[in-house]
Structure formats: C-alpha cells, structure tokens
Amino acid sequence: MKKLAALVAVASVMSTAAFAGGPVVVEVEPTPGVVVAPASSGSLGAGAVVAGLAGLALVAALVANDSGDH
C-alpha cells in the first residue's frame, strides 16, 4: 500500500511539472485585405466645378475693381 501511495505521489508531482504553464496557443493573425480605390470615371467632379467657379469669381472681382487711376 505504501508503494502504491508513493507511486501516486510521484506521478502527481511529475504530471504537474510536465503541464506547468499550460498549453502553448499560437494565434495566426489575419492578413489585412488590400483596399483598392474605385477607378475614376474621367468626368469632372464637384471639386473641379467649385474650383472653376471660385476662379471665375476671383477674375470677376479683379476686373470689376475700380482703382480710379485711369
């Protein structure tokens, strides 16, 4: 009986040392997907229209400026 108790004690000590720290879990990080911007349709966008109108307003303001030197 003493031999069985000693065997159980040794087995329990060795099994705890064998599994100390728990299992190693390796997580594979997913690779980020490549995001591709949609292709331009080639037409003028709203930004170009606003910039053109701002340019025309600037030219109109410069032309209408009456300096009085003439």
Side-chain angles (χ1 to χ4, degrees):
M1 190 68 172
K2 286 185 180 181
K3 288 184 180 181
L4 180 63
L7 181 64
V8 170
V10 169
S12 67
V13 169
M14 291 184 71
S15 67
T16 56
F19 295 111
V24 177
V25 178
V26 179
E27 293 184 18
V28 178
E29 295 183 17
T31 56
V34 178
V35 178
V36 178
S40 173
S41 64
S43 64
L44 290 177
V49 173
V50 171
L53 290 176
L56 286 175
L58 180 65
V59 170
L62 290 174
V63 170
N65 187 11
D66 190 18
S67 60
D69 290 338
H70 296 99

